[in-house]
Amino acid sequence: MAKQGYEVEIFEKNDTIGGRARQYKKEGFTFDIGPTWYWMPDVFERFFADFNKQPSDYYQLLKLSPAYKVFFGKEDEITIGDTLEKIYSEFDRIEPGSSKKLKKFIDQAKENYDIAIKDLVYRPGESPLELVTVETAKKLGKFFSTIAREVRKEFKNKKLVQVLEFPVLFLGAKPSDTPAFYNFMNFADFGLGTWHPQGGMYQVILGIQRLAESLGVKLNTQQNVEKILVENNKACRIIANGKKHDADIVLSGADYHHSETLLDQKYRQYSEKFWEKKTFAPSSLLFYVGFDKKLENVEHHTLFFDVDFEKHAHAIYDVNEWPEDPLFYASFPSKTDKNSAPVGKEAGIFLIPLAPGIKDEQALRERYFDKIIDRFEKITQQNIKKNIIFKKSFCVNDFIEEYNSYKGNAYGLANTLLQTAFLRPKLKSKKVKGLYFTGQLTVPGPGVPPALISGKLVSDLIKKYE
């Protein structure tokens, strides 16, 4: 917007910019408290290229080797390397001959990635015709099949199936509910690799801040927007911290449901019933933990799939309750980034996916921390409880309080077939002129790269209509 010549002013509720991508610092430890995976580096390159810049102008990237490790039990693991050759070799170790099937699967995923990322996701979701191209016509069946079906058609080994289904969890729905076309995430995973910005994901935010300020954008933090005012069916100003600010155009990057509650009822496009019927991506229970020693047998990114995936998914998506035995993810950025923890110590981030809107209380958080740490100790064969210096938790109630998140969702609106592209909430208000929305509840979907793309799409729409 600033590049197009608009005078841009940002109002941020919290004391730092970046939305969910924030930092927590304590006793020499630094944690990314939101996103921790840097995937799809080409999307970040394309973003900065719009301003004749590149990511390396703002932060340095390290390709993780290995990308991540998946535990299925004690001395039972798969390591995802930093090249396709290493991954093919690992698949053959688990199931001899499976690398041939994987090569074919990844070739298809790359085809889908090229169609999706170079074309489809950069369309604003105004019309179903945006999806109609020569390439997508050939892939029509992939929209009506599912990830689970396509993966299981080729692979019978349960561990390999889980590894291949894992990336779509970033899209916020079960593999059995996610269109097969989205297997392009497997190419993002295996083909493009997993990266880490030195200093953590927050370096990306600081880079975008420097870019924004160089373009004259004014950033206001600790400014809680309480109302969007409309006159003659046009957005004309906002009220933040009780003070009015005039505007020709209002663009909200806050949670879409919350943004609409800032409008008088008659100007809202979507009812409460609409939101209640939608499939939301999970919430999360997170722990940020400082350890007084280095941990063993784990990588920067480590997944614990030692329990029943189907049961955990059922708890999240079908019955909305706390899972009895949850899968979890652990990140130890200090394995590769000396800025994350003091010398000889380890920074640990633990994440359990949960259903949005469930009961969240301290006793439950503690119970689940004990559950996963007990399993962690057993599987990685080390004692760590006594080495905890401190821990901080973040869950459903915090997502609501910090981000005005609908039901405390962590990732936005899931990418199911009926919530894809033009079927998602619109970037442009149908009821109010000069009012627009961006972020993970609108087009193109959840995740850091789609959120970046969403900003580009809405700025192009504003250019088109205003």
Side-chain angles (χ1 to χ4, degrees), residues 96-108:
S98 61
S99 65
K100 286 182 182 173
K101 290 184 283 187
L102 182 60
K103 280 176 187 169
K104 182 180 154 195
F105 187 82
I106 292 299
D107 284 346
Q108 289 179 339

Side-chain angles (χ1 to χ4, degrees), residues 57 67 115 130 263 387:
D57 293 329
I115 294 168
E130 292 172 5
L263 292 160
N387 300 101

Side-chain angles (χ1 to χ4, degrees), residues 111-121 123 127-144 181 184 420-422:
E111 271 182 37
N112 290 349
Y113 189 89
D114 288 341
I115 294 168
I117 302 304
K118 292 176 183 171
D119 194 8
L120 288 189
V121 296
R123 301 190 176 196
S127 158
L129 295 178
E130 292 172 5
L131 296 179
V132 183
T133 67
V134 173
E135 288 79 12
T136 55
K138 294 175 193 167
K139 299 279 182 181
L140 195 60
K142 299 295 183 189
F143 284 94
F144 292 98
F181 182 74
F184 66 71
T420 291
F422 66 95

Side-chain angles (χ1 to χ4, degrees), residues 1-2 4-11 225 227-231 233-239 245-253 263 427-429 432-438 455 457-466:
M1 296 299 298
Q4 288 175 23
Y6 289 91
E7 194 178 310
V8 179
E9 198 165 349
I10 290 173
F11 292 82
V225 176
K227 190 80 181 167
I228 299 171
L229 296 172
V230 177
E231 283 179 8
N233 272 7
K234 186 177 189 315
C236 60
R237 64 186 60 87
I238 62 167
I239 299 175
H245 300 269
D246 290 340
D248 297 305
I249 295 159
V250 173
L251 167 58
S252 178
L263 292 160
L427 291 162
K428 181 179 184 291
S429 171
V432 179
K433 291 177 187 170
L435 177 60
Y436 295 83
F437 304 87
T438 188
L457 294 178
V458 78
S459 66
D460 288 345
L461 269 193
I462 291 169
K463 187 177 181 180
K464 177 179 174 181
Y465 288 111
E466 299 298 330

Side-chain angles (χ1 to χ4, degrees), residues 18 58 72 130 138-139 148 152 265 318 321 347 416 447 454 462:
Y58 300 99
F72 297 95
E130 292 172 5
K138 294 175 193 167
K139 299 279 182 181
R152 286 152 201 263
Q265 189 79 45
D318 302 330
E321 61 186 32
T416 60
S454 188
I462 291 169

